[in-house]
């Protein structure tokens, strides 16, 4: 039994943190892997239907500085301020914190000209007025997030067919 325990511990102890650059705030946050124990702590005392409170609690609990210190103090003031964050930014942070997007892909995504991307997609949708309308109202960050998800799937060797 101790052989199994040592194998489990070796894997758990070797997991690396995932760096997430947040250009909107000029921050680099670091996230350890989300464990079952972390998941339980994050959810404690929060209505399971309150997705926003769960996201903020997850960010406060998991986000670290480069040195491994908690990035955000667990205070009502910090939580209130994090609730003012744009949903798309928080969703991107949480998605990237799960890993999967390589540093090279992150650098390429950060360098994307959002207007050029939108223009390129519009040219593909020239004969699709409904999709053109949806694209017109979509924030550029949503398109970049879709590309990030495709890059994460490609990095993991997963098919995009069901994505």
């Amino acid at each position: 039994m101790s052989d199994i325990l040592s194998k489990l511990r070796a894997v758990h102890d070797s997991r690396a943190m995932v760096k997430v650059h947040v250009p909107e705030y000029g921050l680099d946050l670091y996230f350890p892997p989300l464990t079952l124990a972390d998941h339980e702590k994050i959810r404690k005392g929060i209505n399971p239907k309150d997705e926003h409170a769960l996201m903020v609690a997850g960010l406060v609990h998991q986000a670290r500085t480069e040195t491994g210190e908690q990035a955000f103090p667990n205070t009502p003031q910090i939580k209130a301020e994090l609730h003012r964050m744009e949903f798309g930014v928080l969703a991107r942070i949480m998605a990237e914190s799960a890993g999967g997007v390589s540093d090279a892909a992150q650098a390429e995504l950060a360098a994307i000209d959002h207007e050029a991307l939108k223009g390129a997609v519009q040219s593909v949708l020239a004969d699709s007025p409904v999709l053109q309308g949806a694209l017109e109202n979509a924030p550029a960050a949503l398109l970049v997030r879709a590309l990030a998800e495709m890059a994460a799937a490609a990095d993991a060797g997963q098919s995009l067919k069901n994505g």
Side-chain angles (χ1 to χ4, degrees), residues 56-109:
V56 167
L59 183 62
V60 169
H61 179 79
Q62 288 293 103
R64 304 277 192 272
T65 65
E66 189 173 12
T67 61
E69 303 292 321
Q70 289 287 138
F72 302 106
N74 190 2
T75 66
Q77 296 86 358
I78 288 290
K79 288 180 178 177
E81 202 59 37
L82 290 172
H83 273 280
R84 295 183 62 203
M85 186 180 286
E86 290 179 37
F87 178 79
V89 173
L90 183 54
R92 189 187 76 244
I93 293 168
M94 299 310 287
E96 288 182 21
S97 72
V101 180
S102 67
D103 289 342
Q106 285 182 12
E108 290 176 8
L109 288 167

Side-chain angles (χ1 to χ4, degrees), residues 7-78:
K7 286 180 181 181
L8 289 170
R9 285 185 177 154
V11 170
H12 296 161
D13 292 344
S14 69
R15 293 182 291 200
M17 289 210 275
V18 174
K19 177 181 173 182
V20 176
H21 179 63
V22 187
E24 296 85 354
Y25 296 97
L27 293 172
D28 285 328
L29 299 174
Y30 297 81
F31 294 84
L34 181 65
T35 66
L36 294 175
D38 292 323
H39 195 257
E40 289 173 3
K41 288 177 187 174
I42 291 166
R43 298 179 69 79
K44 188 172 182 167
I46 296 178
N47 179 345
K49 294 180 181 177
D50 190 347
E51 293 177 31
H52 301 146
L54 288 169
M55 290 173 73
V56 167
L59 183 62
V60 169
H61 179 79
Q62 288 293 103
R64 304 277 192 272
T65 65
E66 189 173 12
T67 61
E69 303 292 321
Q70 289 287 138
F72 302 106
N74 190 2
T75 66
Q77 296 86 358
I78 288 290

